[in-house]
Amino acid sequence: MASISSLPPAGAEIRLEKISIEFGGLPVVSDIDLTVGAGEFVCLLGPSGCGKSTLMNLVAGFVPAAAGLATIGGNPIDGPGRDRGVVFQSTEALFPWLTVQENVEYGPSMRGVGRAERAEAARHYIDLVGLSHAASRFPAELSGGMRQRAQIARVLINEPSVVLMDEPFGALDAQTREVMQAELDRIWQATRPTILFITHDIWEAILLADRVVTMTAGPGARLKTIAPIALPHPRELASPEALEIYRELREGIAEEVRRTLQAQGLDRGIAA
Amino acid sequence: MRTASSLIEFAKRVSGAAPGRFFTGLLSVMLGVFLWEVLSWRFTPLFLPSPGLTLQSAVELWDDGTLIQSIGASLARIMAGWSLGVLIGFPLGMLMGYFPFVRRLLDPYVEFFRFIPPISFITLAVIWLGPGELSKVILITYTTVFIVMINTIAGVVATSELRLRAAAALGASRFKILTTVIFPSTIPSMVTGARVAMGNSFLTIVSAEIVAAQTGLGSLIWTSRNYGKTEWVFVGIITLGVLGYLCDRIVRLFVKRTLKRYAVAV
Ligand SMILES: Nc1ncnc2c1ncn2[C@@H]1O[C@H](COP(=O)(O)OP(=O)(O)OP(=O)(O)O)[C@@H](O)[C@H]1O
Ligand SMILES: [Mg+2]
């Protein structure tokens, strides 16, 4: 594992054993075996609709498993909890009736942290994501990138041992995304939670992850490959090693995407 | 008496409309009054009193205190009954929307009573609560409760799944989710319900006052018949329209000022 940080890992291990998830009797993912080590950063790649979000929702405690065992730090997952922070793809997840400051204070206020103490903690995390100038604004008054940063601060203030991120930067423009990726890398180095991160962007995965996990096309999707990225942080994507990893991942995913399209009868005109 | 220009100023402030739009509205109203005037030339005042006659009787009714007393009586009943209805309907709707058990428990009653016009209860209201204010107030409350409740339930059900999940993942308990996510999410539909209920309260109060009251605009409209004063009927009707409009504006203004962050569209 390519851990560079000198801090001890604050994360907890995610362990999935023979996990299957069904919707209405139909399998979405089948037979998933995956262990994400404490403090590890794992990216999940796979064709659209294969069940990445579903798998993450299981870890978050939003959906149950049809079969198998899922544990966090050894304890079976039973519903959502503040030990697992979730950064949703959509910033609609922010509470629009609360300011950034109030959104970030939400977690601490739920566990009864005093007013002054949680305000100070919120200021710290808002500063960490670079939103101090916008603390008193409502989400509707922020740009997409700022909203996503607010969401990240709202999760980090709870000091979760696991952070689940579902395409958090998917809706951002390329420049903002790059800044956010660097920020996330920095924050992860500093606080060391376990991170499970979904993305469609192979370069993003290479930039951030200790290991990249790819999934096969659904229904009944399985894990396809697990590739360690043994490059030092902060990473240089222009290196030949990075390019080689990129080629491999892209080939694997392209195969699954073709399979998905074939299953949907949309493969005409696409070279096999 | 206000001058015409200050009246326009006042109307503009109340309607909150841009000058151009305000004058389109004003023009439309003037056209309507003009048509009314022309029509009134062809009929007796008993059948269709002219705008002038109506205005004159309005001034008379104002001067002798009848109009203000009627407005006061009707408004007091509406305000008391409506506020009580919102205060009961909102939490009830929240509980019904959130707890399936409460929903199943109360659903038969809601589905039954929502189709019964409030005014059909006026007899029972008078028998049980007496001919005084209480029967009318409770009737308005009854009108309001169901509308606010049904709208609130719809709001609870429509609460963003994403935000519910976010709250749960941030450590909120089931009860905290109710108070910190569902409650604020439901405010827009509750406000919609409250505004619709305000309109229906006007319908109910007039019917109730016609049947069982000595005061109020409904009573004024009804007793005018005994004096052959059709113009009083007109005064009563127009007052109701203006009053309803003003009440709605006040609710909207209040909502805009205090509930801005809940994204209530008014
Ligand atoms: N609540 C649900 N009920 C029924 N089917 C669902 C539900 N949620 C997801 N699915 C199905 O499960 C499959 C996986 O969905 P999921 O959202 O996990 O895919 P994904 O890999 O995250 O896709 P994307 O990359 O497009 O976000 C899809 O076929 C979807 O239709
Ligand atoms: Mg998804």
Side-chain angles (χ1 to χ4, degrees), chain A residues 22-24 26-29 46-57 63 89 166-167 198-200 215 218-219, chain B residues 165:
Chain A
E22 297 178 357
F23 281 120
L26 297 172
V28 176
V29 297
S48 184
C50 72
K52 301 182 296 296
S53 300
T54 304
L55 198 57
M56 180 169 284
N57 285 339
V63 302
Q89 173 171 15
D166 191 349
E167 298 181 45
I198 295 176
T199 180
H200 278 293
M215 287 174 78
Chain B
R165 286 181 165 183

PDB file of all heavy atoms in Angstrom, chain A residues 22-24 26-29 46-57 63 89 166-167 198-200 215 218-219, chain B residues 165, ligand 1:
ATOM      1  N   GLU A  22     -30.119  -7.117  -4.326  1.00  0.00           N
ATOM      2  CA  GLU A  22     -31.197  -7.303  -5.305  1.00  0.00           C
ATOM      3  C   GLU A  22     -32.197  -6.164  -5.211  1.00  0.00           C
ATOM      4  O   GLU A  22     -32.401  -5.584  -4.153  1.00  0.00           O
ATOM      5  CB  GLU A  22     -31.934  -8.620  -5.020  1.00  0.00           C
ATOM      6  CG  GLU A  22     -31.066  -9.842  -5.168  1.00  0.00           C
ATOM      7  CD  GLU A  22     -31.837 -11.119  -4.824  1.00  0.00           C
ATOM      8  OE1 GLU A  22     -33.014 -11.020  -4.416  1.00  0.00           O
ATOM      9  OE2 GLU A  22     -31.245 -12.208  -4.972  1.00  0.00           O
ATOM     10  N   PHE A  23     -32.787  -5.856  -6.340  1.00  0.00           N
ATOM     11  CA  PHE A  23     -33.953  -4.961  -6.340  1.00  0.00           C
ATOM     12  C   PHE A  23     -35.109  -5.725  -6.950  1.00  0.00           C
ATOM     13  O   PHE A  23     -35.022  -6.156  -8.100  1.00  0.00           O
ATOM     14  CB  PHE A  23     -33.687  -3.694  -7.153  1.00  0.00           C
ATOM     15  CG  PHE A  23     -32.876  -2.673  -6.426  1.00  0.00           C
ATOM     16  CD1 PHE A  23     -31.656  -2.233  -6.918  1.00  0.00           C
ATOM     17  CD2 PHE A  23     -33.329  -2.145  -5.221  1.00  0.00           C
ATOM     18  CE1 PHE A  23     -30.907  -1.291  -6.241  1.00  0.00           C
ATOM     19  CE2 PHE A  23     -32.578  -1.197  -4.532  1.00  0.00           C
ATOM     20  CZ  PHE A  23     -31.365  -0.770  -5.045  1.00  0.00           C
ATOM     21  N   GLY A  24     -36.160  -5.914  -6.178  1.00  0.00           N
ATOM     22  CA  GLY A  24     -37.332  -6.629  -6.680  1.00  0.00           C
ATOM     23  C   GLY A  24     -36.988  -8.013  -7.190  1.00  0.00           C
ATOM     24  O   GLY A  24     -37.501  -8.447  -8.221  1.00  0.00           O
ATOM     25  N   LEU A  26     -34.373  -9.052  -8.599  1.00  0.00           N
ATOM     26  CA  LEU A  26     -33.346  -9.093  -9.645  1.00  0.00           C
ATOM     27  C   LEU A  26     -31.994  -8.713  -9.050  1.00  0.00           C
ATOM     28  O   LEU A  26     -31.888  -7.696  -8.358  1.00  0.00           O
ATOM     29  CB  LEU A  26     -33.694  -8.120 -10.779  1.00  0.00           C
ATOM     30  CG  LEU A  26     -34.992  -8.435 -11.526  1.00  0.00           C
ATOM     31  CD1 LEU A  26     -35.335  -7.314 -12.496  1.00  0.00           C
ATOM     32  CD2 LEU A  26     -34.855  -9.766 -12.257  1.00  0.00           C
ATOM     33  N   PRO A  27     -30.959  -9.512  -9.308  1.00  0.00           N
ATOM     34  CA  PRO A  27     -29.648  -9.188  -8.744  1.00  0.00           C
ATOM     35  C   PRO A  27     -29.036  -7.971  -9.445  1.00  0.00           C
ATOM     36  O   PRO A  27     -29.073  -7.876 -10.665  1.00  0.00           O
ATOM     37  CB  PRO A  27     -28.825 -10.448  -9.027  1.00  0.00           C
ATOM     38  CG  PRO A  27     -29.485 -11.081 -10.198  1.00  0.00           C
ATOM     39  CD  PRO A  27     -30.937 -10.724 -10.142  1.00  0.00           C
ATOM     40  N   VAL A  28     -28.539  -7.044  -8.657  1.00  0.00           N
ATOM     41  CA  VAL A  28     -27.827  -5.892  -9.221  1.00  0.00           C
ATOM     42  C   VAL A  28     -26.328  -6.188  -9.166  1.00  0.00           C
ATOM     43  O   VAL A  28     -25.631  -6.121 -10.173  1.00  0.00           O
ATOM     44  CB  VAL A  28     -28.158  -4.597  -8.459  1.00  0.00           C
ATOM     45  CG1 VAL A  28     -27.342  -3.436  -8.992  1.00  0.00           C
ATOM     46  CG2 VAL A  28     -29.647  -4.286  -8.575  1.00  0.00           C
ATOM     47  N   VAL A  29     -25.843  -6.546  -7.971  1.00  0.00           N
ATOM     48  CA  VAL A  29     -24.458  -7.000  -7.870  1.00  0.00           C
ATOM     49  C   VAL A  29     -24.461  -8.367  -7.185  1.00  0.00           C
ATOM     50  O   VAL A  29     -25.314  -8.642  -6.340  1.00  0.00           O
ATOM     51  CB  VAL A  29     -23.562  -6.018  -7.078  1.00  0.00           C
ATOM     52  CG1 VAL A  29     -23.489  -4.679  -7.783  1.00  0.00           C
ATOM     53  CG2 VAL A  29     -24.054  -5.850  -5.662  1.00  0.00           C
ATOM     54  N   GLY A  46     -16.503   1.444 -13.312  1.00  0.00           N
ATOM     55  CA  GLY A  46     -17.341   0.442 -13.964  1.00  0.00           C
ATOM     56  C   GLY A  46     -18.341   1.086 -14.875  1.00  0.00           C
ATOM     57  O   GLY A  46     -18.624   2.278 -14.736  1.00  0.00           O
ATOM     58  N   PRO A  47     -18.894   0.315 -15.813  1.00  0.00           N
ATOM     59  CA  PRO A  47     -19.843   0.908 -16.754  1.00  0.00           C
ATOM     60  C   PRO A  47     -21.089   1.434 -16.039  1.00  0.00           C
ATOM     61  O   PRO A  47     -21.441   0.950 -14.971  1.00  0.00           O
ATOM     62  CB  PRO A  47     -20.195  -0.256 -17.693  1.00  0.00           C
ATOM     63  CG  PRO A  47     -19.771  -1.493 -16.985  1.00  0.00           C
ATOM     64  CD  PRO A  47     -18.676  -1.112 -16.051  1.00  0.00           C
ATOM     65  N   SER A  48     -21.701   2.397 -16.637  1.00  0.00           N
ATOM     66  CA  SER A  48     -22.886   3.018 -16.056  1.00  0.00           C
ATOM     67  C   SER A  48     -23.968   1.965 -15.799  1.00  0.00           C
ATOM     68  O   SER A  48     -24.199   1.093 -16.631  1.00  0.00           O
ATOM     69  CB  SER A  48     -23.419   4.080 -17.029  1.00  0.00           C
ATOM     70  OG  SER A  48     -24.494   4.736 -16.432  1.00  0.00           O
ATOM     71  N   GLY A  49     -24.562   2.030 -14.617  1.00  0.00           N
ATOM     72  CA  GLY A  49     -25.657   1.123 -14.287  1.00  0.00           C
ATOM     73  C   GLY A  49     -25.207  -0.231 -13.774  1.00  0.00           C
ATOM     74  O   GLY A  49     -26.025  -1.117 -13.562  1.00  0.00           O
ATOM     75  N   CYS A  50     -23.898  -0.421 -13.534  1.00  0.00           N
ATOM     76  CA  CYS A  50     -23.441  -1.746 -13.116  1.00  0.00           C
ATOM     77  C   CYS A  50     -23.680  -1.977 -11.630  1.00  0.00           C
ATOM     78  O   CYS A  50     -23.653  -3.108 -11.163  1.00  0.00           O
ATOM     79  CB  CYS A  50     -21.959  -1.934 -13.449  1.00  0.00           C
ATOM     80  SG  CYS A  50     -20.852  -0.974 -12.409  1.00  0.00           S
ATOM     81  N   GLY A  51     -23.901  -0.907 -10.877  1.00  0.00           N
ATOM     82  CA  GLY A  51     -24.209  -1.103  -9.457  1.00  0.00           C
ATOM     83  C   GLY A  51     -23.212  -0.490  -8.497  1.00  0.00           C
ATOM     84  O   GLY A  51     -23.166  -0.855  -7.324  1.00  0.00           O
ATOM     85  N   LYS A  52     -22.438   0.469  -8.965  1.00  0.00           N
ATOM     86  CA  LYS A  52     -21.454   1.123  -8.096  1.00  0.00           C
ATOM     87  C   LYS A  52     -22.152   1.869  -6.954  1.00  0.00           C
ATOM     88  O   LYS A  52     -21.800   1.709  -5.784  1.00  0.00           O
ATOM     89  CB  LYS A  52     -20.591   2.108  -8.907  1.00  0.00           C
ATOM     90  CG  LYS A  52     -19.833   1.452 -10.058  1.00  0.00           C
ATOM     91  CD  LYS A  52     -18.957   2.436 -10.805  1.00  0.00           C
ATOM     92  CE  LYS A  52     -19.742   3.528 -11.511  1.00  0.00           C
ATOM     93  NZ  LYS A  52     -20.619   3.034 -12.586  1.00  0.00           N
ATOM     94  N   SER A  53     -23.130   2.701  -7.320  1.00  0.00           N
ATOM     95  CA  SER A  53     -23.849   3.457  -6.288  1.00  0.00           C
ATOM     96  C   SER A  53     -24.572   2.511  -5.343  1.00  0.00           C
ATOM     97  O   SER A  53     -24.623   2.746  -4.128  1.00  0.00           O
ATOM     98  CB  SER A  53     -24.864   4.400  -6.926  1.00  0.00           C
ATOM     99  OG  SER A  53     -24.226   5.319  -7.769  1.00  0.00           O
ATOM    100  N   THR A  54     -25.121   1.450  -5.901  1.00  0.00           N
ATOM    101  CA  THR A  54     -25.843   0.476  -5.079  1.00  0.00           C
ATOM    102  C   THR A  54     -24.907  -0.133  -4.036  1.00  0.00           C
ATOM    103  O   THR A  54     -25.263  -0.265  -2.866  1.00  0.00           O
ATOM    104  CB  THR A  54     -26.441  -0.615  -5.978  1.00  0.00           C
ATOM    105  OG1 THR A  54     -27.268   0.014  -6.961  1.00  0.00           O
ATOM    106  CG2 THR A  54     -27.264  -1.601  -5.179  1.00  0.00           C
ATOM    107  N   LEU A  55     -23.704  -0.469  -4.469  1.00  0.00           N
ATOM    108  CA  LEU A  55     -22.722  -1.054  -3.553  1.00  0.00           C
ATOM    109  C   LEU A  55     -22.359  -0.047  -2.460  1.00  0.00           C
ATOM    110  O   LEU A  55     -22.250  -0.383  -1.276  1.00  0.00           O
ATOM    111  CB  LEU A  55     -21.470  -1.461  -4.342  1.00  0.00           C
ATOM    112  CG  LEU A  55     -20.529  -2.455  -3.684  1.00  0.00           C
ATOM    113  CD1 LEU A  55     -21.267  -3.744  -3.330  1.00  0.00           C
ATOM    114  CD2 LEU A  55     -19.340  -2.743  -4.590  1.00  0.00           C
ATOM    115  N   MET A  56     -22.193   1.197  -2.862  1.00  0.00           N
ATOM    116  CA  MET A  56     -21.866   2.237  -1.893  1.00  0.00           C
ATOM    117  C   MET A  56     -23.034   2.454  -0.921  1.00  0.00           C
ATOM    118  O   MET A  56     -22.821   2.640   0.278  1.00  0.00           O
ATOM    119  CB  MET A  56     -21.538   3.537  -2.627  1.00  0.00           C
ATOM    120  CG  MET A  56     -21.184   4.651  -1.676  1.00  0.00           C
ATOM    121  SD  MET A  56     -20.492   6.056  -2.533  1.00  0.00           S
ATOM    122  CE  MET A  56     -18.866   5.479  -2.889  1.00  0.00           C
ATOM    123  N   ASN A  57     -24.246   2.397  -1.456  1.00  0.00           N
ATOM    124  CA  ASN A  57     -25.425   2.552  -0.597  1.00  0.00           C
ATOM    125  C   ASN A  57     -25.512   1.441   0.443  1.00  0.00           C
ATOM    126  O   ASN A  57     -26.027   1.650   1.544  1.00  0.00           O
ATOM    127  CB  ASN A  57     -26.706   2.586  -1.436  1.00  0.00           C
ATOM    128  CG  ASN A  57     -26.869   3.915  -2.159  1.00  0.00           C
ATOM    129  OD1 ASN A  57     -26.277   4.916  -1.759  1.00  0.00           O
ATOM    130  ND2 ASN A  57     -27.649   3.922  -3.216  1.00  0.00           N
ATOM    131  N   VAL A  63     -29.167   0.580   1.822  1.00  0.00           N
ATOM    132  CA  VAL A  63     -29.860  -0.590   1.277  1.00  0.00           C
ATOM    133  C   VAL A  63     -29.277  -1.850   1.914  1.00  0.00           C
ATOM    134  O   VAL A  63     -28.088  -1.895   2.235  1.00  0.00           O
ATOM    135  CB  VAL A  63     -29.753  -0.680  -0.271  1.00  0.00           C
ATOM    136  CG1 VAL A  63     -30.308   0.553  -0.952  1.00  0.00           C
ATOM    137  CG2 VAL A  63     -28.321  -0.919  -0.706  1.00  0.00           C
ATOM    138  N   GLN A  89     -23.287  12.446  -5.085  1.00  0.00           N
ATOM    139  CA  GLN A  89     -22.978  13.020  -6.398  1.00  0.00           C
ATOM    140  C   GLN A  89     -23.690  14.359  -6.570  1.00  0.00           C
ATOM    141  O   GLN A  89     -23.129  15.313  -7.079  1.00  0.00           O
ATOM    142  CB  GLN A  89     -23.403  12.058  -7.509  1.00  0.00           C
ATOM    143  CG  GLN A  89     -23.267  12.674  -8.889  1.00  0.00           C
ATOM    144  CD  GLN A  89     -23.471  11.657  -9.997  1.00  0.00           C
ATOM    145  OE1 GLN A  89     -23.976  10.565  -9.762  1.00  0.00           O
ATOM    146  NE2 GLN A  89     -23.091  12.016 -11.197  1.00  0.00           N
ATOM    147  N   ASP A 166     -19.584   9.393  -4.061  1.00  0.00           N
ATOM    148  CA  ASP A 166     -20.197   8.902  -5.293  1.00  0.00           C
ATOM    149  C   ASP A 166     -20.063   9.950  -6.392  1.00  0.00           C
ATOM    150  O   ASP A 166     -20.835  10.906  -6.438  1.00  0.00           O
ATOM    151  CB  ASP A 166     -21.673   8.565  -5.033  1.00  0.00           C
ATOM    152  CG  ASP A 166     -22.285   7.803  -6.200  1.00  0.00           C
ATOM    153  OD1 ASP A 166     -21.650   7.715  -7.263  1.00  0.00           O
ATOM    154  OD2 ASP A 166     -23.409   7.298  -6.034  1.00  0.00           O
ATOM    155  N   GLU A 167     -19.102   9.792  -7.251  1.00  0.00           N
ATOM    156  CA  GLU A 167     -18.832  10.748  -8.324  1.00  0.00           C
ATOM    157  C   GLU A 167     -18.954  12.198  -7.839  1.00  0.00           C
ATOM    158  O   GLU A 167     -19.700  12.979  -8.400  1.00  0.00           O
ATOM    159  CB  GLU A 167     -19.808  10.534  -9.486  1.00  0.00           C
ATOM    160  CG  GLU A 167     -19.683   9.166 -10.122  1.00  0.00           C
ATOM    161  CD  GLU A 167     -20.653   8.992 -11.283  1.00  0.00           C
ATOM    162  OE1 GLU A 167     -20.753   9.920 -12.096  1.00  0.00           O
ATOM    163  OE2 GLU A 167     -21.308   7.936 -11.349  1.00  0.00           O
ATOM    164  N   ILE A 198     -16.299   6.566  -5.976  1.00  0.00           N
ATOM    165  CA  ILE A 198     -16.786   6.130  -7.288  1.00  0.00           C
ATOM    166  C   ILE A 198     -16.468   7.206  -8.319  1.00  0.00           C
ATOM    167  O   ILE A 198     -16.623   8.399  -8.051  1.00  0.00           O
ATOM    168  CB  ILE A 198     -18.315   5.930  -7.269  1.00  0.00           C
ATOM    169  CG1 ILE A 198     -18.680   4.793  -6.328  1.00  0.00           C
ATOM    170  CG2 ILE A 198     -18.839   5.637  -8.671  1.00  0.00           C
ATOM    171  CD1 ILE A 198     -20.158   4.591  -6.178  1.00  0.00           C
ATOM    172  N   THR A 199     -16.008   6.766  -9.470  1.00  0.00           N
ATOM    173  CA  THR A 199     -15.774   7.748 -10.531  1.00  0.00           C
ATOM    174  C   THR A 199     -15.906   7.090 -11.895  1.00  0.00           C
ATOM    175  O   THR A 199     -15.839   5.864 -12.033  1.00  0.00           O
ATOM    176  CB  THR A 199     -14.382   8.394 -10.393  1.00  0.00           C
ATOM    177  OG1 THR A 199     -14.209   9.326 -11.448  1.00  0.00           O
ATOM    178  CG2 THR A 199     -13.277   7.357 -10.465  1.00  0.00           C
ATOM    179  N   HIS A 200     -16.130   7.896 -12.910  1.00  0.00           N
ATOM    180  CA  HIS A 200     -16.097   7.417 -14.296  1.00  0.00           C
ATOM    181  C   HIS A 200     -14.789   7.827 -14.954  1.00  0.00           C
ATOM    182  O   HIS A 200     -14.495   7.462 -16.075  1.00  0.00           O
ATOM    183  CB  HIS A 200     -17.250   8.037 -15.090  1.00  0.00           C
ATOM    184  CG  HIS A 200     -18.537   7.317 -14.893  1.00  0.00           C
ATOM    185  ND1 HIS A 200     -18.747   6.047 -15.343  1.00  0.00           N
ATOM    186  CD2 HIS A 200     -19.685   7.685 -14.285  1.00  0.00           C
ATOM    187  CE1 HIS A 200     -19.963   5.662 -15.031  1.00  0.00           C
ATOM    188  NE2 HIS A 200     -20.552   6.631 -14.374  1.00  0.00           N
ATOM    189  N   MET A 215     -15.527  -2.989 -12.079  1.00  0.00           N
ATOM    190  CA  MET A 215     -16.667  -3.907 -12.006  1.00  0.00           C
ATOM    191  C   MET A 215     -17.076  -4.334 -13.406  1.00  0.00           C
ATOM    192  O   MET A 215     -16.879  -3.604 -14.380  1.00  0.00           O
ATOM    193  CB  MET A 215     -17.848  -3.223 -11.311  1.00  0.00           C
ATOM    194  CG  MET A 215     -17.659  -3.060  -9.809  1.00  0.00           C
ATOM    195  SD  MET A 215     -18.979  -2.105  -9.048  1.00  0.00           S
ATOM    196  CE  MET A 215     -20.275  -3.339  -8.962  1.00  0.00           C
ATOM    197  N   GLY A 218     -23.551  -5.107 -15.391  1.00  0.00           N
ATOM    198  CA  GLY A 218     -24.658  -5.781 -14.737  1.00  0.00           C
ATOM    199  C   GLY A 218     -25.543  -6.428 -15.778  1.00  0.00           C
ATOM    200  O   GLY A 218     -25.225  -6.372 -16.954  1.00  0.00           O
ATOM    201  N   PRO A 219     -26.672  -7.001 -15.422  1.00  0.00           N
ATOM    202  CA  PRO A 219     -27.083  -7.231 -14.032  1.00  0.00           C
ATOM    203  C   PRO A 219     -26.285  -8.366 -13.396  1.00  0.00           C
ATOM    204  O   PRO A 219     -25.718  -9.184 -14.098  1.00  0.00           O
ATOM    205  CB  PRO A 219     -28.560  -7.590 -14.172  1.00  0.00           C
ATOM    206  CG  PRO A 219     -28.730  -8.074 -15.569  1.00  0.00           C
ATOM    207  CD  PRO A 219     -27.681  -7.423 -16.394  1.00  0.00           C
TER     208      PRO A 219
ATOM    209  N   ARG B 165     -31.318  10.682   3.501  1.00  0.00           N
ATOM    210  CA  ARG B 165     -30.145   9.829   3.628  1.00  0.00           C
ATOM    211  C   ARG B 165     -28.967  10.623   4.179  1.00  0.00           C
ATOM    212  O   ARG B 165     -28.219  10.132   5.022  1.00  0.00           O
ATOM    213  CB  ARG B 165     -29.778   9.241   2.266  1.00  0.00           C
ATOM    214  CG  ARG B 165     -30.728   8.143   1.834  1.00  0.00           C
ATOM    215  CD  ARG B 165     -30.340   7.562   0.503  1.00  0.00           C
ATOM    216  NE  ARG B 165     -31.040   6.309   0.273  1.00  0.00           N
ATOM    217  CZ  ARG B 165     -30.854   5.533  -0.794  1.00  0.00           C
ATOM    218  NH1 ARG B 165     -29.991   5.888  -1.719  1.00  0.00           N
ATOM    219  NH2 ARG B 165     -31.531   4.413  -0.936  1.00  0.00           N
TER     220      ARG B 165
HETATM  221  N1  LIG C   1     -34.206   1.762  -6.068  1.00  0.00           N
HETATM  222  C1  LIG C   1     -34.005   0.948  -7.120  1.00  0.00           C
HETATM  223  N2  LIG C   1     -34.971   0.094  -7.519  1.00  0.00           N
HETATM  224  C2  LIG C   1     -34.782  -0.746  -8.579  1.00  0.00           C
HETATM  225  N3  LIG C   1     -33.660  -0.792  -9.285  1.00  0.00           N
HETATM  226  C3  LIG C   1     -32.654   0.036  -8.932  1.00  0.00           C
HETATM  227  C4  LIG C   1     -32.772   0.940  -7.836  1.00  0.00           C
HETATM  228  N4  LIG C   1     -31.614   1.637  -7.734  1.00  0.00           N
HETATM  229  C5  LIG C   1     -30.824   1.179  -8.724  1.00  0.00           C
HETATM  230  N5  LIG C   1     -31.438   0.221  -9.434  1.00  0.00           N
HETATM  231  C6  LIG C   1     -30.844  -0.531 -10.566  1.00  0.00           C
HETATM  232  O1  LIG C   1     -29.647  -1.080 -10.135  1.00  0.00           O
HETATM  233  C7  LIG C   1     -28.680  -0.989 -11.160  1.00  0.00           C
HETATM  234  C8  LIG C   1     -27.429  -0.315 -10.636  1.00  0.00           C
HETATM  235  O2  LIG C   1     -27.698   1.039 -10.340  1.00  0.00           O
HETATM  236  P1  LIG C   1     -26.584   2.002  -9.752  1.00  0.00           P
HETATM  237  O3  LIG C   1     -27.181   3.328  -9.546  1.00  0.00           O
HETATM  238  O4  LIG C   1     -25.957   1.350  -8.592  1.00  0.00           O
HETATM  239  O5  LIG C   1     -25.559   2.039 -10.968  1.00  0.00           O
HETATM  240  P2  LIG C   1     -24.181   2.851 -11.069  1.00  0.00           P
HETATM  241  O6  LIG C   1     -23.131   1.852 -11.323  1.00  0.00           O
HETATM  242  O7  LIG C   1     -24.023   3.754  -9.912  1.00  0.00           O
HETATM  243  O8  LIG C   1     -24.443   3.680 -12.391  1.00  0.00           O
HETATM  244  P3  LIG C   1     -23.920   5.154 -12.772  1.00  0.00           P
HETATM  245  O9  LIG C   1     -22.491   5.002 -13.087  1.00  0.00           O
HETATM  246  O10 LIG C   1     -24.723   5.488 -13.981  1.00  0.00           O
HETATM  247  O11 LIG C   1     -24.192   6.037 -11.597  1.00  0.00           O
HETATM  248  C9  LIG C   1     -29.308  -0.239 -12.316  1.00  0.00           C
HETATM  249  O12 LIG C   1     -29.667  -1.165 -13.302  1.00  0.00           O
HETATM  250  C10 LIG C   1     -30.528   0.396 -11.720  1.00  0.00           C
HETATM  251  O13 LIG C   1     -31.558   0.422 -12.664  1.00  0.00           O
END
